[in-house]
């Protein structure tokens, strides 16, 4: 198998990191939805930290699975990109608030495209729930397009679109983690 999961027959370590990232996405999404007025200002700080931490988790996941996953470098690249974006966002908070919708939109676009590709790789690995992963990836992609189509449309709608996009991305990550665990069990490793 020449896919990211091709060499996963030996083991998929740290599947729980995907679930942890998913829970973090959902937590931040619900928090944003519950505090819309305060969220736009706070969102720039929280989102910066969130992207930074997500990047660290993705880097750890990719490095810890470099012997099990053939194309682990793509996960490493995504983690490094998240880490760099997180650092930039933390270093420039006023700029972050001004262009937050573009940051969020492009970040979600990148994550959803990566997730769509991973969904098809799970399909080729024989994971029956790959369709749900694809569905949540496409929903997240649609939210990213909405954010990018209206980057100057500040206010509550951008906060709610961001919250929904984070929640759908979180659901995808949880499904992914569960399926990675099942895949590891299928091949005899936990």
């Amino acid at each position: 198998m020449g896919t990211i999961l091709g060499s996963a027959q030996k083991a998929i370590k740290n599947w729980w990191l995907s679930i942890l990232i998913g829970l973090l996405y959902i937590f931040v999404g619900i928090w944003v939805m519950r505090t819309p007025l305060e969220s736009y200002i706070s969102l720039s700080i929280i989102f910066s930290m969130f992207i930074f931490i997500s990047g660290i988790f993705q880097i750890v996941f990719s490095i810890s699975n470099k012997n099990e996953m053939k194309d682990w470098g793509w996960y490493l690249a995504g983690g490094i990109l998240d880490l760099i974006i997180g650092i930039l966002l933390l270093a420039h908070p006023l700029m972050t608030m001004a262009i937050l919708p573009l940051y969020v939109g492009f970040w979600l676009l990148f994550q959803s495209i990566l997730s769509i590709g991973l969904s098809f790789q799970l399909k080729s690995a024989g994971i029956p729930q790959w369709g749900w992963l694809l569905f949540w990836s496409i929903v997240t992609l649609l939210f990213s397009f909405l954010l990018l189509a209206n980057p100057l449309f500040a206010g509550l709608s951008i906060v709610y679109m961001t919250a929904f996009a984070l929640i759908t991305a979180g659901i995808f990550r949880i499904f992914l983690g569960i399926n990675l665990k099942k895949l590891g069990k299928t091949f005899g490793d936990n």
Side-chain angles (χ1 to χ4, degrees):
M1 233 187 248
T3 66
I4 221 169
L5 295 174
S7 55
Q9 294 177 359
K10 294 179 183 170
I12 297 292
K13 291 188 235 175
N14 300 322
W15 53 267
W16 56 270
L17 283 174
S18 184
I19 293 175
L20 185 61
I21 292 170
L23 291 173
L24 184 62
Y25 283 11
I26 291 171
F27 173 77
V28 172
I30 291 171
W31 176 81
V32 167
M33 199 178 297
R34 292 186 55 128
T35 58
L37 297 175
E38 301 86 5
S39 289
Y40 196 78
I41 296 168
S42 302
L43 188 58
S44 64
I45 297 166
I46 297 296
F47 185 73
S48 301
M49 291 299 297
F50 173 67
I51 296 295
F52 180 79
I53 292 168
S54 176
I56 291 171
F57 281 142
Q58 279 189 260
I59 290 169
V60 168
F61 177 80
S62 65
I63 291 172
S64 67
N65 284 295
K66 69 181 182 181
N67 295 325
E68 285 78 26
M69 292 174 23
K70 181 180 181 223
D71 296 327
W72 66 275
W74 286 106
Y75 276 101
L76 180 63
I80 291 171
L81 180 65
D82 281 357
L83 187 65
I84 290 169
I85 290 173
I87 290 169
L88 288 173
L89 292 173
L90 288 169
H92 304 288
L94 292 177
M95 178 186 71
T96 301
M97 288 192 312
I99 57 176
L100 182 64
L102 287 174
Y103 275 129
V104 174
F106 280 114
W107 176 73
L108 287 169
L109 178 69
F110 177 77
Q111 292 295 320
S112 59
I113 290 171
L114 217 103
S115 299
I116 288 169
L118 186 58
S119 298
F120 284 110
Q121 290 179 354
L122 288 170
K123 176 186 178 189
S124 65
I127 300 296
Q129 291 86 6
W130 73 273
W132 281 108
L133 298 171
L134 179 63
F135 170 77
W136 289 112
S137 300
I138 291 171
V139 170
T140 303
L141 182 68
L142 293 175
F143 279 119
S144 73
F145 285 144
L146 287 173
L147 286 171
L148 292 172
N150 299 309
L152 299 176
F153 185 63
L156 294 180
S157 63
I158 196 75
V159 172
Y160 286 118
M161 281 193 288
T162 301
F164 287 128
L166 288 169
I167 290 169
T168 59
I171 292 169
F172 170 84
R173 288 301 222 158
I174 290 170
F175 272 102
L176 175 62
I178 291 167
N179 283 302
L180 288 174
K181 181 180 181 185
K182 288 178 184 177
L183 187 63
K185 284 184 178 181
T186 299
F187 296 116
D189 293 324
N190 292 352

